[in-house]
Amino acid sequence: MFNLFLEYVVHFFEYGIFFYCMFILTSYIVISFISTKEVFKYTNRKKILELDSVISSPFQPSVSIIAPAYNESVTIVDNIRSLLSLHYSALTIIIVNDGSKDETLQVAIDAYDLYLTDEVAVEEIAAKPIRGIYRSRKKAFSKLIVVDKENGGKADAINVGTNVCSTEYFACIDVDCIIDQDAFLRLVEPIMNGGDTKVGAVGGIVWLTNDADIKCGKVMKIRAPKSYIAQIQVVEYFRAFLLGRPAWAKDNGMLLISGAFGVFDRETVMAVGGYNHNTVGEDMELVMRMHKYYRENNIDYKIAYIPDPLCWTEAPSDFAVLGRQRNRWTRGTIECLKFHKEMCFNKKFGILGYISYPYWLLAEWIAPYAEAGGLLFVAVIAILGLANWPFFLALLFLVYTFAVSISIYSILIQELSYAKYESVSDLLILVKAALLEPIKYHPKTVKWALSGNLDHFTGQNKGWGEMTRTGFKKAD
Amino acid sequence: MLFSQLSGNVNDALLSQDGGDISLYYILFFGFGFASVSIFMILFMVWRRRKCIVDKVIEAELIEKYQDFLTSFLLLPLDESFLGIQKSDRQSSRLDSKDIQDPYRRRILADQIYLLHSQLSGQQAVQLVNYFFGLGLQEEILNMINSSNWTNKVKGMQMIQAFELVEYVDKIDEYVNHSNRDLSIHAIVVRLSLDRSLAVLSEINYNLNTWECHKVYDAIKRFRIDSTDLLDIQSSANTGFDFLNRLTDAFNMPSKSKVDKKLQYV
């Protein structure tokens, strides 16, 4: 009986993990090729779009930027200045001071000559109380609104911003991100081109700026980061934004628009009740809820994505901070998948139910278990002296070369599409990082994902965790 | 006993005597395949980056040379030689036969003339167009229009628009109702520019979306087309009253009330 049980266990690992690996390998190849086609389609089309004319067009949709700020007194003035310089006329900038303990609000008041208005926002989405709404006395800053509210976290701050804003669309950004000056001209193009299809949200590429030259809130020159940990994140972002999301967005199967930068239809966000406070994956959860809302109400819609670098941010530069971020991402993914489990294999949700959701379940949630299980299995059979080493090493070689080739392919697509890295040495640094990734970095991501699972199932709510950044490097 | 059974299972599954060697062969084949592809991609990437760096330098030099030449051409009196070799001591102001014959250089020269033309008006703009024809660069436009790449077609259309080549209007008409809406809207804009009227809007067989309305609006503004022409297309069922309404709204035109009134009866 025991022997039979063991046989089943062994067979499960032998075949289960082997076929799981084949599934992942095949899906990566398919997704990469669809994405490649989409990226080149976009970059080719971008050449003839003539987006500058949108600046003065009466047809441009109105957009608000909602930027939550918490203890940002050092950077708030520069960040607001950078937002004010964006090329888009129908733009309102809403800074939400989320109960900062430092001088964030006062610094903004002094720098932009703000005064307390008697405006009141209708609380369409439940959120923490607003202490005051500030506007500038200076005409040059007439687009700026600063909202002071009680502390409630990022999701709550965005909900307050959504209540305050009165534009057709809003963009939520992390206040420490750098937004490309033409970002909104590019983001609204799919909205304007939507026709009768409701464009619920639009996302773009988030690019990493570690060791880049920044001048006056603009990214002047991108180079490969010096630290390995940032280098490998650059490659990870290429894989996600150039080889992943374009394919998912093609047939409206995208479940996530990055929290760092995305544009949302205000009316829909209001209808679905805004951001969810009960998850650390509030960006993904909102997108899933929007999908659900549109599908349940039979609205012809699109969650769009443009493979264009619109937002620049700094990657965590030490393993402890990165570990906390990845732990949070894992918890967020699990929470979202659990909140919307009815989507799985539900024909009402079409591609989302049959492909996107199951893929996230298998490739994002289950992956660390499968990898850790596979390693454990190998360790057990090695200890028992049963390992078939030639076969094991051959399989390891296949998995390694595949992982590396996908990473190098993502660097190549970056080179063929945007070519942001000007020197050969920068490219070779990224290639080196890709070669080392499966050995030096990937085991850590599995560990962080497993700890995220553990924290989720043991009910440890670690919230967002503290993020420390080294700050952008200024250009000479 | 147990160990031997387990060992048998592992071997059976992963390296069975009858098919194991083949499995190992396939795995190694794909492993080396991915490794070879990776090496190829790295070499290609490095080669391409180096080429881009060199090309960028050559292109910058050519652009500088052509800009210098075109400036001299416009500022200095014309020589009897129409091919643009001017009476100038400045060697940099001269074009050689390679500049005219080499397709890559011709394309850069055509682009520079196009860019400069967009910043000029009056006699100088006419002079530049004549020069463009003198060099036979209209062939570049035809090549672009006939190209299989649709963005090249658009670029060709933009040149037709810039140089006001009304004789190519037939070429443009083919694309007014093209299934590629980007191509179609560019053709419409070029027609608006060449016709200096909104007549082409009556030929459209689909409803314009907001982006396309914006492009038409932008063209009307840029080419200073008399917007009272809007009244002429109210009877067109093709263009769509939605467009009209948006357009009249955008211009805040007196025709708005007439459009609204007409809409009540549709």
Side-chain angles (χ1 to χ4, degrees):
Chain A
M1 186 66 185
F2 179 67
N3 287 357
L4 192 67
F5 173 72
L6 271 177
E7 260 184 51
Y8 279 127
V9 170
V10 170
H11 276 298
F12 171 77
F13 277 102
E14 282 169 0
Y15 293 109
I17 291 181
F18 180 76
F19 285 114
Y20 177 81
C21 283
M22 289 305 113
F23 160 72
I24 296 288
L25 260 61
T26 315
S27 60
Y28 272 29
I29 291 172
V30 172
I31 292 169
S32 296
F33 279 107
I34 297 172
S35 292
T36 303
K37 205 178 154 197
E38 290 300 299
V39 168
F40 289 129
K41 199 166 127 188
Y42 175 79
T43 49
N44 200 25
R45 186 167 174 263
K46 193 182 160 189
K47 290 177 201 161
I48 54 93
L49 275 178
E50 297 176 323
L51 291 166
D52 285 350
S53 60
V54 178
I55 295 177
S56 58
S57 173
F59 294 99
Q60 60 176 259
S62 55
V63 183
S64 291
I65 297 179
I66 301 174
Y70 180 70
N71 292 346
E72 307 270 359
S73 60
V74 179
T75 54
I76 192 79
V77 175
D78 285 343
N79 289 334
I80 293 176
R81 187 180 299 129
S82 169
L83 294 176
L84 284 167
S85 69
L86 295 175
H87 298 160
Y88 199 76
S89 48
L91 191 68
T92 307
I93 291 144
I94 302 172
I95 307 292
V96 184
N97 177 41
D98 190 27
S100 296
K101 290 173 187 161
D102 67 358
E103 299 295 305
T104 301
L105 180 65
Q106 195 53 50
V107 169
I109 289 172
D110 295 343
Y112 294 98
D113 196 12
L114 303 176
Y115 67 95
L116 183 63
T117 66
D118 52 6
E119 289 174 48
V120 185
V122 179
E123 197 182 283
E124 291 181 64
I125 304 171
K128 295 272 183 181
I130 293 174
R131 293 174 187 151
I133 297 176
Y134 295 80
R135 283 183 187 268
S136 177
R137 290 187 187 89
K138 291 183 180 164
K139 212 176 171 184
F141 308 133
S142 60
K143 289 175 176 180
L144 176 66
I145 299 173
V146 175
V147 182
D148 183 33
K149 65 174 278 283
E150 287 178 14
N151 180 262
K154 186 187 171 188
D156 190 71
I158 297 173
N159 283 344
V160 165
T162 314
N163 283 333
V164 171
C165 88
S166 55
T167 49
E168 237 179 307
Y169 283 83
F170 72 85
C172 52
I173 65 158
D174 287 345
V175 81
D176 52 4
C177 284
I178 295 173
I179 308 296
D180 193 277
Q181 297 233 297
D182 293 334
F184 285 96
L185 301 178
R186 281 178 264 168
L187 273 175
V188 299
E189 189 273 328
I191 296 171
M192 294 171 77
N193 236 329
D196 294 333
T197 304
K198 177 89 175 167
V199 179
V202 190
I205 296 179
V206 178
W207 212 283
L208 297 181
T209 55
N210 298 52
D211 294 308
D213 290 343
I214 315 281
K215 198 174 180 182
C216 301
K218 270 192 198 170
V219 179
M220 307 304 287
K221 186 178 165 67
I222 285 287
R223 52 170 70 89
K226 285 178 189 138
S227 79
Y228 173 75
I229 189 167
Q231 288 163 12
I232 198 57
Q233 285 176 87
V234 169
V235 180
E236 268 189 318
Y237 275 56
F238 287 168
R239 285 202 304 259
F241 288 100
L242 289 171
L243 294 190
R245 293 191 195 181
W248 291 112
K250 183 179 178 284
D251 290 313
N252 218 9
M254 198 166 66
L255 292 184
L256 170 66
I257 283 183
S258 173
F261 189 52
V263 166
F264 296 87
D265 173 53
R266 182 179 180 269
E267 191 186 45
T268 310
V269 173
M270 286 293 183
V272 300
Y275 277 87
N276 187 339
H277 299 222
N278 301 318
T279 172
V280 285
E282 73 286 323
D283 41 6
M284 180 173 173
E285 203 281 328
L286 177 68
V287 175
M288 291 179 87
R289 211 149 17 98
M290 288 173 77
H291 274 296
K292 212 162 148 183
Y293 170 80
Y294 289 128
R295 299 250 174 189
E296 282 170 352
N297 291 286
N298 293 318
I299 298 169
D300 181 19
Y301 78 103
K302 174 99 183 144
I303 303 292
Y305 173 78
I306 51 170
D308 203 341
L310 305 174
C311 173
W312 306 80
T313 190
E314 190 198 346
S317 49
D318 74 72
F319 279 118
V321 179
L322 183 63
R324 284 199 292 274
Q325 184 195 57
R326 297 307 158 97
N327 177 303
R328 191 182 76 240
W329 286 4
T330 302
R331 282 181 289 130
T333 303
I334 299 170
E335 284 162 0
C336 293
L337 293 175
K338 281 172 81 177
F339 284 158
H340 299 285
K341 55 181 179 290
E342 73 280 10
M343 272 189 180
C344 195
F345 293 114
N346 185 337
K347 67 176 180 186
K348 194 165 74 182
F349 295 99
I351 188 174
L352 296 168
Y354 288 113
I355 300 179
S356 303
Y357 188 102
Y359 183 83
W360 272 80
L361 190 72
L362 289 171
E364 297 291 334
W365 188 358
I366 304 296
Y369 290 114
E371 289 185 52
L375 284 173
L376 195 69
F377 174 66
V378 170
V380 168
I381 61 169
I383 289 165
L384 295 176
L386 304 172
N388 185 333
W389 290 110
F391 194 87
F392 169 72
L393 291 174
L395 209 55
L396 196 67
F397 175 65
L398 172 68
V399 172
Y400 173 81
T401 53
F402 175 76
V404 166
S405 64
I406 284 285
S407 295
I408 292 173
Y409 183 65
S410 71
I411 302 169
L412 176 67
I413 295 303
Q414 184 283 142
E415 169 65 13
L416 295 176
S417 55
Y418 293 102
K420 292 281 181 192
Y421 297 86
E422 287 174 11
S423 72
V424 173
S425 62
D426 279 338
L427 292 175
L428 291 177
I429 287 169
L430 296 178
V431 167
K432 188 180 143 201
L435 291 170
L436 291 174
E437 184 191 7
I439 305 154
K440 200 172 165 182
Y441 176 72
H442 190 71
K444 288 191 172 66
T445 63
V446 174
K447 186 188 134 200
W448 294 326
L450 288 174
S451 74
N453 272 272
L454 190 68
D455 289 346
H456 173 79
F457 288 111
T458 54
Q460 288 187 52
N461 183 8
K462 291 185 174 176
W464 272 65
E466 194 183 335
M467 296 287 286
T468 48
R469 296 174 193 271
T470 54
F472 294 124
K473 184 187 170 189
K474 305 265 185 196
D476 296 330
Chain B
M1 182 66 185
L2 172 67
F3 283 3
S4 67
Q5 275 180 358
L6 281 171
S7 175
N9 283 331
V10 173
N11 285 334
D12 284 346
L14 298 179
L15 195 61
S16 62
Q17 285 178 346
D18 54 347
D21 292 338
I22 296 169
S23 306
L24 191 64
Y25 170 78
Y26 278 125
I27 288 171
L28 286 173
F29 173 78
F30 280 110
F32 280 109
F34 286 128
S36 309
V37 169
S38 300
I39 292 166
F40 172 76
M41 286 191 291
I42 295 167
L43 293 175
F44 175 69
M45 205 154 46
V46 170
W47 169 79
R48 190 184 178 278
R49 180 94 311 257
R50 289 203 169 133
K51 188 176 176 296
C52 282
I53 293 167
V54 174
D55 285 354
K56 215 171 163 181
V57 174
I58 294 171
E59 194 179 330
E61 281 172 3
L62 286 174
I63 288 173
E64 195 185 337
K65 177 183 172 182
Y66 296 151
Q67 282 178 347
D68 193 21
F69 168 76
L70 291 169
T71 314
S72 309
F73 168 76
L74 290 170
L75 296 178
L76 298 174
L78 265 178
D79 187 13
E80 60 279 0
S81 162
F82 194 65
L83 277 178
I85 316 298
Q86 298 200 19
K87 282 181 179 171
S88 167
D89 294 334
R90 297 167 64 190
Q91 286 302 311
S92 61
S93 292
R94 290 178 178 276
L95 293 184
D96 51 48
S97 56
K98 212 174 165 188
D99 294 314
I100 314 295
Q101 283 157 8
D102 180 60
Y104 172 69
R105 291 178 175 223
R106 277 168 69 91
R107 181 65 62 93
I108 294 176
L109 180 59
D111 281 348
Q112 291 310 306
I113 295 176
Y114 168 66
L115 286 172
L116 186 59
H117 181 270
S118 64
Q119 294 162 25
L120 296 174
S121 59
Q123 189 52 40
Q124 285 187 322
V126 174
Q127 203 178 329
L128 208 54
V129 174
N130 289 337
Y131 181 65
F132 186 86
F133 281 103
L135 291 175
L137 288 177
Q138 65 270 35
E139 272 177 40
E140 287 301 317
I141 295 180
L142 285 175
N143 288 341
M144 284 182 197
I145 290 281
N146 295 327
S147 159
S148 57
N149 182 336
W150 72 270
T151 52
N152 277 344
K153 286 183 194 290
V154 170
K155 213 169 169 194
M157 287 181 187
Q158 286 169 338
M159 286 195 174
I160 289 175
Q161 175 199 308
F163 298 139
E164 298 182 359
L165 306 176
V166 281
E167 59 271 32
Y168 290 155
V169 80
D170 292 346
K171 292 267 174 200
I172 300 296
D173 280 347
E174 288 173 28
Y175 299 105
V176 166
N177 284 305
H178 198 273
S179 57
N180 179 339
R181 295 276 284 259
D182 285 311
L183 203 50
S184 168
I185 192 61
H186 276 92
I188 293 167
V189 168
V190 177
R191 276 286 309 275
L192 285 169
S193 138
L194 297 179
D195 298 352
R196 287 290 194 272
S197 86
L198 299 175
V200 66
L201 297 179
S202 305
E203 295 170 26
I204 309 167
N205 61 16
Y206 59 87
N207 286 330
L208 301 175
N209 64 30
T210 311
W211 175 256
E212 291 153 347
C213 284
H214 150 71
K215 295 294 282 184
V216 172
Y217 168 81
D218 183 55
I220 289 170
K221 252 188 4 173
R222 259 196 301 157
F223 310 125
R224 294 178 188 159
I225 299 169
D226 183 5
S227 51
T228 52
D229 278 13
L230 275 170
L231 296 172
D232 298 336
I233 58 164
Q234 277 185 47
S235 56
S236 163
N238 295 330
T239 310
F241 288 101
D242 181 39
F243 163 70
L244 265 179
N245 211 16
R246 286 175 185 194
L247 207 59
T248 48
D249 255 335
F251 279 99
N252 197 21
M253 290 177 300
S255 60
K256 168 115 178 76
S257 57
K258 290 185 184 174
V259 174
D260 286 342
K261 201 173 172 186
K262 196 159 177 76
L263 275 171
Q264 291 171 11
Y265 298 99
V266 174

